[in-house]
Amino acid sequence: MTIEFGDTERSLSDTLTGMIASIRGDTITLRELMVEIGEQGFLLLCALLTLPFLIPVSIPGVSTVFGAAIILISLAITLNRLPWLPRRILDRQIDTEKLVPTLRKGAAFVAKLDRFVRPRLHGLTQGAVMNRFNGLMIMAGGVLLMFPLGLVPLSNTLPAIAILLLSLGIIQRDGLTVAAGYFFLVATTIYFTMLGYAAFAAGQGLSNFFIS
């Protein structure tokens, strides 16, 4: 089933509040929730997946799994479609009696973010083209997060910050935050390029040492 997400000007807290108010009956499916919350829910998930990396120490293994998840989510955002999931998962019935209180707590927490991240520099967040482009930028951050750099300082932190800023900026239509995400993507790329060059130069030095 193909489902498109429409562009939205609502804050995430408004989206969550509206979704909670629309829940009826004793159960609801994951498919229905995903259609209602749209790409904002996926963006919030991307932001949450970056939290373990917001310290200047790499976490081997975890970055590969979380990076892959971010790439799949960002692909869904870029293609403006629900990500592929087995039908038995999408159509599984969820007890609304337990779900609604949890969603209300989440909406209250997200509402606090509205004080710091607000709509501005609209050109970087409005329209389908920019939304798809920003989805690709999140995907690039996920790829950088997956780089097998072991315990190299900041190798996870820099791309995680970029993904976090991009996700929150798109959610709240804050172009300034999105621009900061671009900056951290560029900084990460430069940092990784420098690491690669240093490794290459070291390899060349060792090669010359043993040959001579």
Side-chain angles (χ1 to χ4, degrees):
M1 180 178 180
T2 299
I3 302 170
E4 294 191 0
F5 298 134
D7 191 20
T8 176
E9 295 297 325
R10 295 188 297 172
S11 68
L12 181 58
S13 58
D14 289 340
T15 300
L16 287 172
T17 301
M19 183 190 69
I20 294 168
S22 70
I23 293 177
R24 298 288 185 273
D26 297 328
T27 62
I28 190 171
T29 66
L30 179 59
R31 185 192 302 274
E32 291 168 339
L33 282 174
M34 292 172 73
V35 171
E36 182 65 31
I37 199 170
E39 66 183 5
Q40 287 186 315
F42 297 134
L43 289 164
L44 180 60
L45 181 56
C46 281
L48 293 175
L49 289 174
T50 67
L51 298 183
F53 309 108
L54 299 183
I55 54 176
V57 177
S58 297
I59 307 176
V62 177
S63 62
T64 301
V65 176
F66 281 20
I70 289 170
I71 290 172
L72 289 175
I73 295 169
S74 62
L75 181 61
I77 295 170
T78 303
L79 297 177
N80 204 28
R81 297 289 190 276
L82 281 174
W84 181 87
L85 288 172
R87 183 173 296 179
R88 62 185 178 84
I89 294 179
L90 282 176
D91 294 329
R92 181 178 179 181
Q93 298 294 321
I94 303 171
D95 186 356
T96 57
E97 184 178 356
K98 297 178 180 179
L99 177 65
V100 170
T102 302
L103 290 176
R104 284 175 178 160
K105 291 179 181 179
F109 172 76
V110 170
K112 297 178 181 179
L113 298 177
D114 294 343
R115 304 174 187 175
F116 306 101
V117 185
R118 59 184 184 277
R120 49 190 166 181
L121 295 180
H122 301 295
L124 295 180
T125 61
Q126 287 184 334
V129 173
M130 284 307 303
N131 284 348
R132 305 294 79 82
F133 174 77
N134 288 331
L136 288 174
M137 294 300 98
I138 294 175
M139 186 183 302
V143 171
L144 293 172
L145 188 64
M146 291 182 68
F147 267 48
L149 296 179
L151 298 177
V152 177
L154 301 177
S155 62
N156 290 156
T157 303
L158 289 176
I161 291 174
I163 295 167
L164 177 63
L165 291 172
L166 286 166
S167 299
L168 293 180
I170 300 168
I171 288 172
Q172 302 292 56
R173 305 303 178 192
D174 186 347
L176 184 60
T177 300
V178 169
Y182 295 160
F183 171 81
F184 273 94
L185 272 183
V186 173
T188 303
T189 302
I190 293 173
Y191 181 53
F192 284 9
T193 301
M194 291 173 61
L195 289 175
Y197 178 78
F200 175 78
Q204 288 290 97
L206 286 174
S207 177
N208 293 335
F209 174 79
F210 287 112
I211 291 175
S212 60

